[in-house]
Amino acid sequence: MTESLPKLLIVEDDAGLQAQLKWAYEDFEVFVAGDRASAIALLRSEMPDVVTLDLGLPPDPDGTTEGFAILDEIMALKPDTKVVVASGHGARESALQAIARGAYDFYQKPVDIDALGHIVRRALHLHRLEEENRRLAGKVEKDEKVLGRMITAAPEMVKVARTIERVANTSVSVMLLGASGTGKELLARGLHEASGRAKREFVAINCAAIPENLLESELFGHEKGAFTGAVKTTPGKIEQAAGGTLFLDEVGDIPLQLQVKLLRFLQERVIERVGSRQSIPVDTRVVCATHQNLEGMIAEGRFREDLFYRLAEIVVRIPGLAERPGDPTLLAKAFLTRYAKEMNPRVRGFSADALAAIDAWGWPGNVRELENRVKRAVIMADEKLVCAGDLDLAGPDEQVATALNLKTAREAADRKVIRHALARSEGNISSTAKMLGISRPTLYDLLKQYDLQPS
């Protein structure tokens, strides 16, 4: 089966130029429109990858209003389309306005067919890269999930997920140990959903976020009149999770006197609400998590050893994001897809420097830090591709100084300068070589050596 040709829509009212342009693009499936109605009809029916758009069209052939109206409709209907705008009307002002309204590039008339062809093919290349980015993001959604919702391709995390799946249908208490932001609550939810308790409640409580004097009431509930403000009888989180799963996050922050009451519940499966002496049987599975060193807290007398062994029948250690090769990029693409759809549909993916920076960063805040950086970058991004600067990350080139390796530092510096020169020359090899003060063959050798592509 032969691959279909990319689609190009030419919006131009000059019949002679229409013919010229149509002839010039034999490697495209070309469609031609001479006015707004036919252009939008072809956009809807053919979904072209690239559009060349003359701004001066009837009924305003000497102005730009009709062309800009078409551009606005294209951006509203199919914003991933690469639109190359051509005009002889107030070229600089038109160019600035076109780019601001979503055009990919601008070309001033009279049209040089070869130069315009270069811009069109570069636009197609970017369109295909963005399509592949979206396809990979979709593949992440389908193929890279464990426990139903956790995205990972790292063997370390797959092993964690398989352990949780194996214990999900047992009654053992599970303790999740890992740094803040590694996904402990997501794993706890995955355990609940993989268990026979999935149809009942999953109730989470962050023990560090509730004042000590209120935590007992939150966990065990209270009777009407048990304390000032207790105007009605209220079940606690343990009762709310009856038949389901209770997730105790930051369990190391439970005060000692309350640890005794929690231990009794785990041993006897009964509770007493605050202000009551009535024992209430409750069938609730407990999953807990902490980033603290509980063994050290036991040695210091701040955590009960008998409670630890009741909570830690199965201990699962969760690696940090930096220990999960490939996951930062997978997760970043998934977060970008989600937040771009919600907050900034113009954003289509990551630039090469952003992906390199994501791979090189140490992620001290783990998945939570990554999600926050991507979310902020999507909101603030001015371009269709999020760059390393949008993420507020030092790229790998800035980090190589710490490696104290002269060869690595030199290669990184070469890459950085070549990328900047390519960007400034818009991918033109001759201009880039001249800017760098080297020959074209030398530049080609460097591009091959460093696996760099002209844009």
Side-chain angles (χ1 to χ4, degrees):
M1 183 178 176
T2 58
E3 186 178 351
S4 60
L5 292 174
K7 293 183 178 182
L8 170 67
L9 171 60
I10 297 169
V11 186
E12 169 62 57
D13 64 329
D14 184 314
L17 192 51
Q18 282 181 357
Q20 269 188 293
L21 291 171
K22 190 169 184 178
W23 172 83
Y25 297 109
E26 293 181 345
D27 48 346
F28 284 80
E29 185 178 357
V30 179
F31 304 89
V32 178
D35 55 47
R36 192 202 308 189
S38 55
I40 298 305
L42 283 168
L43 180 81
R44 291 179 182 276
S45 62
E46 301 301 335
M47 305 291 281
D49 306 294
V50 183
V51 176
T52 63
L53 173 62
D54 181 18
L55 292 180
L57 294 166
D60 182 28
D62 296 321
T64 59
T65 56
E66 195 68 6
F68 280 128
I70 293 174
L71 175 60
D72 290 343
E73 284 199 60
I74 292 172
M75 290 298 99
L77 293 170
K78 193 172 181 288
D80 60 318
T81 307
K82 299 294 173 241
V83 182
V84 180
V85 170
S87 175
H89 302 279
R92 186 174 182 279
E93 294 76 12
S94 296
L96 291 172
Q97 190 177 161
I99 299 302
R101 291 164 94 152
Y104 165 72
D105 209 339
F106 181 91
Y107 193 81
Q108 186 173 358
K109 283 188 170 183
V111 172
D112 179 319
I113 299 293
D114 292 335
L116 183 56
H118 176 70
I119 295 173
V120 166
R121 287 174 176 84
R122 194 171 68 219
L124 175 66
H125 176 67
L126 179 58
H127 183 271
R128 284 176 166 170
L129 285 177
E130 291 177 359
E131 261 194 345
E132 179 66 6
N133 197 356
R134 288 191 294 273
R135 186 190 68 79
L136 290 174
K139 186 177 187 300
V140 165
E141 291 297 314
K142 293 178 183 176
D143 300 338
E144 305 293 351
K145 288 189 176 182
V146 293
L147 280 177
R149 64 173 75 197
M150 175 164 278
I151 296 169
T152 185
E156 297 83 355
M157 282 304 291
V158 172
K159 183 178 179 182
V160 166
R162 298 296 171 252
T163 299
I164 288 174
E165 286 171 347
R166 279 197 293 272
V167 303
N169 275 317
T170 68
S171 59
V172 296
S173 297
V174 177
M175 179 176 286
L176 304 173
L177 298 180
S180 180
T182 48
K184 297 187 288 292
E185 183 170 347
L186 191 63
L187 286 168
R189 286 184 180 276
L191 185 152
H192 171 73
E193 290 166 4
S195 75
R197 297 172 176 265
K199 293 182 179 179
R200 304 300 292 272
E201 290 294 314
F202 174 87
V203 178
I205 180 170
N206 187 325
C207 302
I210 300 171
E212 285 188 20
N213 60 324
L214 297 179
L215 186 56
E216 181 178 8
S217 174
E218 281 291 311
L219 281 172
F220 294 92
H222 61 262
E223 295 291 329
K224 180 179 178 180
F227 49 83
T228 302
V231 296
K232 64 177 181 177
T233 297
T234 304
K237 299 295 187 185
I238 294 174
E239 281 185 84
Q240 291 174 29
T245 304
L246 175 69
F247 176 54
L248 298 174
D249 198 7
E250 299 303 343
V251 71
D253 285 272
I254 296 178
L256 274 170
Q257 64 270 24
L258 192 52
Q259 291 177 28
V260 177
K261 193 167 181 178
L262 180 60
L263 177 63
R264 183 192 174 215
F265 163 66
L266 292 171
Q267 289 173 331
E268 302 176 16
R269 297 295 164 173
V270 296
I271 64 163
E272 289 179 4
R273 294 176 186 152
V274 176
S276 171
R277 291 190 177 277
Q278 180 185 356
S279 294
I280 303 171
V282 184
D283 171 27
T284 298
R285 183 187 193 161
V286 175
V287 178
C288 69
T290 184
H291 72 281
Q292 299 186 66
N293 179 358
L294 292 186
E295 289 93 337
M297 292 178 67
I298 291 169
E300 295 169 3
R302 294 189 293 124
F303 200 87
R304 294 182 62 98
E305 186 174 19
D306 47 5
L307 176 60
F308 174 81
Y309 288 116
R310 284 287 180 179
L311 291 170
E313 292 176 315
I314 296 289
V315 175
V316 181
R317 300 184 186 276
I318 306 168
L321 187 56
E323 304 169 72
R324 293 151 55 173
D327 275 10
T329 300
L330 276 178
L331 288 163
K333 288 179 177 179
F335 290 141
L336 182 139
T337 299
R338 180 200 305 172
Y339 291 121
K341 185 176 180 181
E342 293 176 7
M343 302 172 181
N344 190 353
R346 177 184 173 85
V347 172
R348 296 292 168 183
F350 292 102
S351 65
D353 74 310
L355 291 174
I358 288 168
D359 280 337
W361 194 248
W363 299 113
N366 293 293
V367 180
R368 188 175 295 121
E369 177 192 357
L370 173 62
E371 182 174 5
N372 288 344
R373 285 183 183 271
V374 172
K375 184 177 183 179
R376 183 177 66 240
V378 168
I379 294 170
M380 302 303 295
D382 293 320
E383 305 296 333
K384 292 187 178 181
L385 295 181
V386 168
C387 66
D390 295 323
L391 292 163
D392 196 22
L393 293 178
D397 298 345
E398 286 80 356
Q399 296 179 33
V400 295
T402 60
L404 299 178
N405 182 300
L406 189 58
K407 181 174 182 293
T408 302
R410 282 174 176 166
E411 289 181 357
D414 283 352
R415 286 175 185 271
K416 185 175 182 179
V417 172
I418 291 169
R419 283 204 302 263
H420 285 178
L422 284 169
R424 289 179 63 180
S425 67
E426 297 185 336
N428 185 288
I429 295 296
S430 296
S431 298
T432 302
K434 186 175 180 180
M435 199 179 299
L436 294 170
I438 59 178
S439 66
R440 283 167 53 100
T442 300
L443 177 57
Y444 277 119
D445 288 343
L446 289 170
L447 292 173
K448 184 176 180 181
Q449 178 183 343
Y450 297 133
D451 193 26
L452 296 172
Q453 296 292 329
S455 56

